[in-house]
Each structure stands twice: as structure tokens, then as C-alpha cells.
Amino acid sequence: MNNVMRAEAVVDLGALQQNLRSLRARVGSAEVMSVVKADAYGHGALPVARAALAAGTRWLGVAKPEEALALRAGGIAPEQARILCWLWTPAAPWAECVAADVDITVSGVWALGRVAEAVRAAGRPARVQLKADTGLGRNGAQPHDWPELVSAARRLEREGLIRVTGLWSHFACADEPGHPSIQAQLDAFHEALRVAEAAGVQPEVRHMANSPATLTLPEAHFDLVRAGIAQYGLSPSPELGTPADFGLRPVMTLQAPVASVKTVPAGHGVSYGHTYVTPGRTTLALVPLGYADGIPRHASSTGPVLLGGKWRTIAGRVAMDQFVLDLGGDAAEVGEAAILFGPGDQGEPTAEDWARACGTISYEIVTRIGGRVPRRYVEA
Ligand SMILES: *Cc1c(COP(=O)(O)O)cnc(C)c1O
């Protein structure tokens, strides 16, 4: 019998490295940034970053300054990896990030002011990457603000306070090939590059592609692609293809030992609210993972789990710490493995199956797996 010791997320770093190699083979002379924001989409930022660097990656990407500092504090030295960070607010640890040699993304002139102060505090110049809003409507400078941002950055560069290391932007609909916004964003990015380069900016890297653009849009590869979900072996969208279609293998397996098995009569309510009532005499298995562990409460009565060689469906509500499976009278033993999702090759559901069941995307399924779930790293 397939027993497991504890509820855990098994993270296959060998698969992660293989996924990065597969992505690299796709992008020619461009480099692949390993995006490790949000604790590496729930996989563990430091172990993932170390594995990515061992596989030849030179760039790491994070959203928040604290994430960048945590990587440096965890021993990822500036000689080993550049770290690009893209979501800043006025009270962020600007000076600490300059001191830690983080590439700071700037989308507005106000942020250049914070960088200049941080440079004085840190006593060393900053690396800055300018971000253009080419149509996503999130962060980045609008085309009419871009020339002013570029010239303000060039002034600081001439004063020796900063070096503009990159120019970049982000897609809105790269997961829908042929969407008209894609070409419009590419055109807008080329125009932003032209304006910046005419003003004397000499970026080390120009970049625009996330995973879907990395997989489907060679004209968006430029010098660097920012790969998030694809390096974790998941497809950016089921419409684009399966992970295997892109040479990718899911990195995370979520499993737990069954904590209780018992026989109950027909008509027995299961879990809070009795939203599920046993249709006949049956066996119930209790799985020690709940919404505090990141199992969506939306998986109530719908999330799929492999137990005893069959897919079962969660019976009734997902609780904070646990949920129940109706085994339809089949036997099971305490300690036996319930596999929620994984690569799929033992017949288990995938994160994509969970996304479909819960009306969300696989990104959210893996990223929400919480801090209470231990990660076990393997190189299978
Ligand atoms: C999260 C993020 C990425 C990675 O996106 P994926 O679709 O997971 O590859 C790339 N760039 C930016 C700016 C992001 O916020």
C-alpha cells in the first residue's frame, strides 16, 4: 500500500530544472528569468531559486521588495544572480534593496526620487529598469508619460546615481494567441524602446514575455523572458495546451495520509452544514488538509482526490483543517496516501483538474498552498 507520513507538498526540483532547460531551448539567444515571487508560486522561493541557478539561470524575478531581500538574506549573492523586483510603494525598503544590488523597476517619476534618496543612503548607485504600460493598464508608464520618465532617468544616469539596466513591459492577453491586444502591445513596446534608445538609454535587457508569450510568441522574446507558471510545469492556460505539449512536467505533488476510515449508514450528513448526505451505507475517509492549508473552500463537493487507485470527490464542505471523501463502500486504511494533485502519471488529478473543479486557474491552486504544509524537496 502507498503510505505517506504526513500532509506535504513534494517539490520535484529535477522537474523544475528540466522545465527551465525546455524553456531555454525555445527562446534561442534570449535568457530565461526564473520568476520566484509569492514563495515561488508556493513551491518555496529559496530552494527553487537555488535549483534554477544550478540549472544556469542568471535572473530571478519577484514582485515585492521584501521578497528580493529574503533571497539575498538566504544567500543568493549578487555575483550569482540578478534579482528584478517590480512592485514598489513609497515606504518600501529602497535603500536596503539598492545596498542588496536589486534591479529596481520604476514606472513613475516619483519612484526615481525614492531611488535617488536610496542611492545616497546606500552609498552606491542603483540598477533601474523602466517599465512601460503598453496596454495592460496595471503598472508601468503610459506612452504620454514615458518620455518624461526616460529623460528623468537619463539625468540620474548622467549624474552617476543610477544605471538603466532594462526596459520592459507586460502582456494582458498573451494566453489568447491572436488577441488583437498582443500586436498592439508589441507595437507600443517597440515605440517605447525607440524613444528610450533615442534618449541615450542602453539597456542590458529588453523584455516582455511571461510564460504564455514564452511558449507561443517568439517575436516577444527580446533579450529575456520572465517564466513563472511554465517553470513549475503547468500550462498557462488549458486552451493553449497541456504541460506535456510544451515539454513541461508539473513540479508539485500535494498528498496526505488518511487520518480516519469508518463505515456509516445511509442518510449520514457529512461535514459542516450537512451539504452532503450519504446516499447509502458507505465508507468515509478523512484527509487532514483544509482551507487553512490552501485547499479552496470552493472545492467543497467537487475537488478530485486519488485514493486507492480511484478518483474520489470531496464529500461536503472543506473545513479549516480537513475534508472527507466518500469511498462508496471501498476499503481504505489510515495512513494510506490521498493524492490531491501531481504530475498525473500515477493517475492522480493535476492542479489543472483542481482549477477546473474550483473555477479558478492552476496558478492559484499551487500558490495558495499555505505555510502549514511542509515542503519536501526531491530530484526525481
Ligand atoms: C507573475 C509575473 C510573471 C510570470 O508570469 P507567468 O504567466 O507565471 O509566467 C512575469 N512578469 C510579471 C511582471 C509578473 O508579475
Side-chain angles (χ1 to χ4, degrees):
M1 198 178 60
N2 180 16
N3 273 21
V4 292
M5 306 291 284
R6 57 178 189 177
E8 63 181 9
V10 182
V11 176
D12 182 351
L13 295 175
L16 177 102
Q17 292 177 319
Q18 194 52 47
N19 293 337
L20 283 166
R21 282 183 209 109
S22 219
L23 293 171
R24 200 173 308 134
R26 217 169 251 286
V27 299
S29 61
E31 286 192 70
V32 178
M33 170 187 287
S34 169
V35 176
V36 296
K37 64 183 179 186
D39 203 25
Y41 292 37
H43 295 68
L46 272 171
V48 165
R50 290 191 193 109
L53 297 181
T57 303
R58 217 169 53 89
W59 284 92
L60 301 173
V62 294
K64 315 223 171 167
E66 292 76 9
E67 296 179 311
L69 293 175
L71 290 171
R72 289 286 189 240
I76 309 271
E79 310 74 67
Q80 286 177 287
R82 298 283 288 276
I83 302 176
L84 175 65
C85 178
W86 50 75
L87 193 51
W88 296 82
T89 51
W94 299 84
E96 291 90 328
C97 285
V98 172
D101 203 22
V102 172
D103 282 63
I104 295 174
T105 296
V106 163
S107 296
V109 172
W110 70 268
L112 284 176
R114 305 315 307 247
V115 171
E117 284 167 26
V119 164
R120 286 180 199 106
R124 54 169 293 169
R127 301 182 196 270
V128 168
Q129 300 210 5
L130 303 179
K131 182 170 185 191
D133 181 1
T134 56
L136 174 60
R138 215 169 63 176
N139 218 336
Q142 278 284 302
H144 62 269
D145 295 322
W146 181 250
E148 188 196 348
L149 180 64
V150 166
S151 56
R154 282 291 291 141
R155 264 195 307 281
L156 294 184
E157 194 165 48
R158 282 193 301 269
E159 289 168 28
L161 298 183
I162 69 171
R163 161 103 181 83
V164 180
T165 58
L167 300 171
W168 69 280
S169 190
H170 194 38
F171 281 109
C173 307
D175 55 345
E176 297 176 49
H179 192 286
S181 69
I182 294 174
Q183 191 57 48
Q185 286 201 259
L186 277 169
D187 293 345
F189 189 54
H190 280 287
E191 176 59 15
L193 294 178
R194 195 192 60 72
V195 168
E197 286 164 8
V201 173
Q202 294 181 310
E204 284 172 57
V205 285
R206 299 157 303 166
H207 51 104
M208 211 177 166
N210 51 3
S211 291
T214 300
L215 296 173
T216 66
L217 203 63
E219 61 271 44
H221 290 168
F222 295 93
D223 305 311
L224 179 68
V225 299
R226 304 184 304 272
I229 200 73
Q231 73 171 326
Y232 304 110
L234 299 171
S235 171
S237 141
E239 283 75 41
L240 286 183
T242 65
D245 292 338
F246 296 114
L248 303 172
R249 177 177 168 78
V251 170
M252 186 190 289
T253 297
L254 183 65
Q255 61 187 18
V258 167
S260 146
V261 182
K262 62 191 174 191
T263 305
V264 298
H268 202 297
V270 177
S271 190
Y272 293 128
H274 280 182
T275 58
Y276 183 83
V277 176
T278 55
R281 181 183 157 82
T282 190
T283 37
L284 298 179
L286 182 67
V287 178
L289 284 167
Y291 61 77
D293 301 300
I295 308 306
R297 194 163 173 276
H298 281 97
S300 298
S301 291
T302 175
V305 176
L306 180 72
L307 175 61
K310 288 190 200 161
W311 278 33
R312 323 284 182 171
T313 302
I314 292 178
R317 290 204 181 133
V318 173
M320 187 179 291
D321 314 301
Q322 49 198 301
F323 63 78
V324 175
L325 299 172
D326 182 343
L327 305 187
D330 291 351
E333 284 180 39
V334 291
E336 190 172 348
I339 306 181
L340 285 76
F341 59 80
D345 45 12
Q346 302 175 67
E348 74 278 19
T350 62
E352 189 59 53
D353 293 316
W354 271 75
R356 198 176 316 109
C358 301
T360 183
I361 54 178
S362 62
Y363 291 73
E364 188 180 3
I365 296 296
V366 291
T367 303
R368 40 182 301 143
I369 300 309
R372 192 166 69 170
V373 179
R375 269 65 172 170
R376 180 158 61 87
Y377 294 94
V378 298
E379 307 217 10

